[in-house]
Amino acid sequence: VGTIDSNWADHFEGMRFETTIPGETRLDGYLPDQAALQGILERLHGLNLPILSVVRLHDGDTSEEESNA
């Protein structure tokens, strides 16, 4: 699939990068609006990296599992 090195954080508006599964990188962080999200998605597309999922967490949530509880 694809991984992103944490050195790319400046290009992705300060998102945090975590590789938990070989070949996959999780991006996590606050985006102020949908335009910022669109910018992130376009950068990933430009790097030919597939997007497996996008999950909105509400204020205070720290993980996808917690937001589904």
Side-chain angles (χ1 to χ4, degrees):
V1 176
T3 59
I4 302 172
D5 187 277
S6 61
N7 294 326
W8 283 84
D10 290 343
H11 299 279
F12 288 93
E13 303 183 32
M15 301 290 284
R16 292 180 300 277
F17 293 78
E18 179 182 1
T19 301
T20 55
I21 300 172
E24 292 183 14
T25 300
R26 176 181 171 169
L27 278 68
D28 186 19
Y30 173 79
L31 295 172
D33 53 31
Q34 288 184 347
L37 173 61
Q38 185 65 31
I40 296 288
L41 296 175
E42 287 176 3
R43 286 184 199 106
L44 292 170
H45 178 73
L47 293 169
N48 293 317
L49 294 171
I51 299 166
L52 302 179
S53 69
V54 175
V55 177
R56 178 180 183 216
L57 301 178
H58 299 280
D59 290 338
D61 288 348
T62 58
S63 72
E64 182 178 341
E65 291 79 23
E66 291 177 9
S67 68
N68 291 330

